[in-house]
């Protein structure tokens, strides 16, 4: 397995719409394993292929405390949504920024597993939020898109400053 680098907002590559996977092969399974390692390493709970610059509809997730319950979604599609909830979200592609986003409370998602078999999952709470957040990535959307223009400009400014500081830091051996 190998660790992949994560694109950071406002990278335009985060805006691309990912293509469906036609057949689940070892290539997708390898990508899923690498994405899972990348996500665990970055202490995230979800990661979409778009975030590692891969244009396919693949998402990995693990909401468990012990980090031993990985979930895989290939070509995920929300087939029903119900209610609404507001949750504070963060994103591996928008480091250090957290903001409240309103989303459906319950969703039913249909996807393929790593074995290529279709399955359906009913989710609520944080799992439902995470599914909606990651599918947004596959459609080229980032959670800060839901913020007011003013708030979004503040976020962009803060990130630019952060990125400049990262670059300015001397290399450490
Ligand atoms: Zn994200």
């Amino acid at each position: 397995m190998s660790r992949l680098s994560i694109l950071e907002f406002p990278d335009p590559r985060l805006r691309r719409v990912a293509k469906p996977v036609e057949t689940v092969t070892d290539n997708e399974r390898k990508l899923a394993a690498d994405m899972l390692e990348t996500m665990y390493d970055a202490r995230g709970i979800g990661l979409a292929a778009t975030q590692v610059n891969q244009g396919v509809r693949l998402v990995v997730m693990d909401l468990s405390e012990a980090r031993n319950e990985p979930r895989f979604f290939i070509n995920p599609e929300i087939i029903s949504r119900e209610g609404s909830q507001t949750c504070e979200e963060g994103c591996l592609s928008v480091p250090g920024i957290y903001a409240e986003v309103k989303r459906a409370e319950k969703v039913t998602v249909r996807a393929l597993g790593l074995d290529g078999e279709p399955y359906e999952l009913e989710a609520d709470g944080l799992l439902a939020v995470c599914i909606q957040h990651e599918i947004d990535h596959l459609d080229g959307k980032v959670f800060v898109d839901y913020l007011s223009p003013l708030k979004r400009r503040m976020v962009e400014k803060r990130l630019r400053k952060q990125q400049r500081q990262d670059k300015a830091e001397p290399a450490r051996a």
Side-chain angles (χ1 to χ4, degrees):
M1 290 200 288
S2 46
R3 214 175 338 126
L4 309 165
S5 64
I6 299 175
L7 300 179
E8 287 188 7
F9 180 82
D11 194 310
R13 290 171 291 183
L14 287 170
R15 296 302 181 189
R16 292 193 304 206
V17 178
K19 292 197 175 69
V21 172
E22 277 174 31
T23 328
V24 181
T25 66
D26 283 346
N27 289 338
E28 284 71 32
R29 285 184 277 270
K30 163 88 167 67
L31 175 60
D34 288 346
M35 283 171 58
L36 196 67
E37 189 190 347
T38 305
M39 182 193 80
Y40 284 145
D41 190 71
R43 296 167 198 277
I45 57 173
L47 187 68
T50 311
Q51 293 176 275
V52 291
N53 200 24
Q54 298 292 317
V56 290
R57 303 189 79 83
L58 199 165
V59 164
V60 301
M61 234 178 260
D62 190 339
L63 270 62
S64 70
E65 202 115 315
R67 317 292 275 155
N68 58 3
E69 289 169 36
R71 296 174 185 269
F72 303 95
F73 302 83
I74 296 172
N75 301 343
E77 239 181 295
I78 292 174
I79 53 174
S80 80
R81 26 182 116 227
E82 224 181 279
S84 75
Q85 60 175 328
T86 303
C87 184
E88 183 163 81
E89 295 186 24
C91 177
L92 292 177
S93 293
V94 195
I97 307 286
Y98 299 88
E100 289 197 332
V101 179
K102 192 175 161 194
R103 299 194 187 264
E105 218 250 300
K106 277 188 189 170
V107 296
T108 305
V109 63
R110 185 182 288 159
L112 302 177
L114 284 187
D115 54 4
E117 292 297 317
Y119 70 93
E120 276 183 25
L121 173 73
E122 276 180 40
D124 58 14
L126 184 60
L127 181 57
V129 167
C130 200
I131 288 169
Q132 293 170 82
H133 177 117
E134 300 309 331
I135 292 179
D136 270 358
H137 276 305
L138 301 180
D139 291 327
K141 284 187 230 155
V142 182
F143 83 102
V144 292
D145 297 350
Y146 295 99
L147 305 181
S148 69
L150 178 68
K151 254 190 154 168
R152 201 164 56 230
R153 272 199 298 278
M154 280 165 55
V155 166
E156 283 177 24
K157 232 171 128 181
R158 224 176 102 186
L159 280 172
R160 265 200 300 274
K161 202 173 151 200
Q162 231 167 263
Q163 284 158 358
R164 265 202 311 273
Q165 279 167 351
D166 288 349
K167 268 192 208 121
E169 261 186 39
R172 279 172 295 214

